[in-house]
Amino acid sequence: MLGVLWMRGLLGRRRGRLLATAAGIAMAVALLASIGAFLGSSAATMTRRTAANVPVDWQVETQPGADPAAVLAAVRATPSVTVALPVGMAATTGLSAQTGDTTQTTGAGVVVGIPDGYSARFGGMIRPLVGAATGVLVAQQTAANLHVRPGDTVSVGRAGSPPASLTVDGVVDLPHADSLFQRVGAAPGSQPSAPPDNVLMVPLDGWHRLFDPVAAARPDQVRQQVHVHLDRALPPAPGDAFDHVTGLARNLESRLAGAGLVGDNLGAALDAARGDAAYATVLFLFLGLPGAVLAGLLTAVVAGTGADRRRHDQALLRARGAGTRTLVGLALLEALAAGAAGGAGGLLLAALTGRLAFGDAGFGEGAATVLWDGLAVATGLLIAALVVAVPAIRDARRLSVAGARRIEGRRVRPVRLPATCGAVLLGVAVATYAVTSRQGYTLVLAPEGVPSISVDHLALAGPASLWVATALITWSLAELGLRRGRRLLTRAVRPVAGPLASTVSASLSRQRRLLGPGLVLVGLTAAFAASTSVFNATYAQQAEVDARLTNGADVTVTEPPGAPATGGTEARLAALPGVRAVEPLVHRFAYVGADLQDLYGVRPGTITAAASLQDAYFQGGTAAQLMARLAARPDAILVSAETVRDFQLQPGDRLTLRLQDRRSQTLTPVTFHYAGVASEFPTAPRDSFLVANAAYVGAMTGDPSPSTYLVDTGGTPPAGVAEAARRTLGVGPVITDIATARRVVGSSLTAVDLDGLTRVELGFALVFGAASTGLLLALGVVERRRTFALAAALGAKRRQLAAFLWAEAGVVVAGGLAAGALAGWALSRMLVAVLSGVFDPPPAALRVPAAYLGSAAAVAVLAVVAVVMLFSRRLTRVTGAMLREL
């Protein structure tokens, strides 16, 4: 009965305090539930997209002496296998074709036998270019080498058997040739460096007629595989999906008992996604957890503003005979009420957040969402217990009736411990930053094929230490400034306080126990908004840079290897609607010693702007500076850091490469001079490559024709321009657009909807900013109604009372924003350094979202102005009933 009366009293007389506490808990619950659901959803997204990019999940290779039919039957009997088709692969001693008056001959190659319906079942493995999509198909590179097209005849060499003649039905591209021609069962380091150049695909029945005699005489020349597609109802987390798929593969191999080996393509892709999932979890810890802690601190400060009033209520209950057990029970009841209301409100807010940020109130996976909702509510109840029940229980056990009725409480002298602890933690943060900024540092280590993933949890100490150091140092400086800076405070508040400046500064000094935590909270909120927004903006910037680096431009057109130079492609592309500029690239291959590397010939005067070259791509100078070196010397060349190290190059050294001369079709020595280092370049591979002048390369090889065209659409949707280019150029060239590259670039982590997470975090940061300024100021005024009412009763004017409010607001907002700006800058740099693994390439500079940060500051200032304007009108309205209540 007493509990019911107590709750009725809280709702009737202390409703604002209870609702403010519940609101703080609701924000913590909503943020945790939203980001937790995002984490589960992002993991499931990674798994789905990773699996979708794998056309053949397993390649089960029949071992020598085993029965291919028995292997096929065992594969089809495996749970989760939805498609299993036999595929044959045989080595050919060479291909030849006579076109016109010339005969072209290739070296060794591979003839693949594919069954009916293969292309439909394994979409993406074979891309038709010219002619039919079934029958005898020639790979694009092979067609270029032999100069054949549909209708021509190709002679296929067979070991120990006479050549066979086949009529070409179509020319195709093999986008996943690396996977198709992998060496099943071989270690990753022993896989072929490149797929075969000469590939012919024939119907499986015809393949058996051609190569069954070869298999009888030379079994080492023939391999038979089963290509498998698995049921994609995989566990949502990449790690769990990896365990599931690899477990199925091991089970199949155990049943085959040596008759077959499994090339687990899907498992290898999920293996890489596990590391991205670990990074997603770390992102939650670095970006989401500080917001939840901030919401808890806001709730604690809100609850703390009513501590004196709560002690006064306890004194009244004690005077009426309530014991300690009763007071403890009432405190727990209040905490439960605030926690339950905050938890329910937080879940509703999380659902609303999901609707606004992701377009779906239940944007997470079902089980993951329920789990995170439960954890978020439990956290809300814990916050309620810590900020409401624990202080009330402590006061109930320690204070007497007289002590509890003392409204102002004891004046606590500041100590040096917070500042000392803050300095120590700042040192820890600096040391962590120094370690994580080292070249080659990796936060998440996920070795390929290893079941476990290693996360350097010590790296978490850096940002955590910096957060705590910011709070402690800000608190210490606020205490010091408010206690000993009376003269400076007087000067600062004189514009708003006038002749009352000295009195107002004295009031500020006496109120430092209330103003200090508010200033710290404003500073932490500003740091959270700044660090989160800068990191997210930098992430978005680098995801775009990575996509552009991979694709090369808005639209990239790549001519087939070995295609004859026809001319006019650049002009035809430039004439398309929506095309602003076209930049040609010359792509060749060159031998550096015995190492074959990609060589890119560029126009130094235009490539920087056309390809949006970043300074981070190069070492020893900016992009503009290194392109200027190429322009100044025709034979200048940029090489990779690995090549510089392997060949011990010094600037200006001569570097002789062997390039194929178009006129003689032989490798010709060409001399270059080393001018700088290129770590990345648009469309280039991740490892070694070379960048030189296109004009010089063309003159030395007799082949100036470009092989790649970078198309700038000038803001026009790239997909539409790419489609127009396909209609204009036909099916020969490979045409890609940056929108597609964004979905598959780099790692599966970049495919996660980080924009939605950004909207969640930055939206909460705005709410925190308004709450930490306006709400705390309002609660502070409410708790000091007695002082303002008495001053008004004694004749104080509205402007005089408002001066106290303006001064308090100015000190809290100005000091907090200054501390938050400095801490936010440091946190942003540390987050980018620690989470460097999600950036490829690393950012040359942080991206500062000025519009958002200005909006956040404006929201905080407007909240303060609204509170001051509201209460300054009410402070002079003093009635007898109000004085009796106070």
Side-chain angles (χ1 to χ4, degrees), residues 590-593 597 599 633 635-640 643-644 646-650 652-659 669-676 689-691 696:
Y591 279 97
V592 186
Q597 297 186 16
L599 172 65
R633 184 165 186 169
D635 63 350
I637 191 169
L638 306 180
V639 302
S640 67
T643 302
V644 172
D646 292 345
F647 293 88
Q648 299 182 2
L649 297 177
Q650 299 296 327
D653 282 356
R654 293 178 59 182
L655 183 62
T656 300
L657 308 179
R658 286 179 296 151
L659 286 79
V670 180
T671 300
F672 294 85
H673 284 84
Y674 164 52
F689 59 90
L690 309 158
V691 180
Y696 182 74

Side-chain angles (χ1 to χ4, degrees), residues 705-777:
S705 59
S707 53
T708 303
Y709 299 90
L710 307 181
V711 180
D712 180 4
T713 64
T716 303
V721 175
E723 185 59 33
R726 292 187 186 98
R727 291 194 300 267
T728 300
L729 301 180
V731 295
V734 177
I735 301 173
T736 58
D737 63 88
I738 196 171
T740 302
R742 289 191 191 104
R743 294 193 292 267
V744 299
V745 68
S747 67
S748 58
L749 181 61
T750 57
V752 174
D753 186 13
L754 196 66
D755 288 341
L757 178 62
T758 300
R759 290 191 292 271
V760 170
E761 292 172 334
L762 300 188
F764 275 97
L766 289 176
V767 175
F768 291 157
S772 61
T773 52
L775 179 60
L776 289 180
L777 180 62

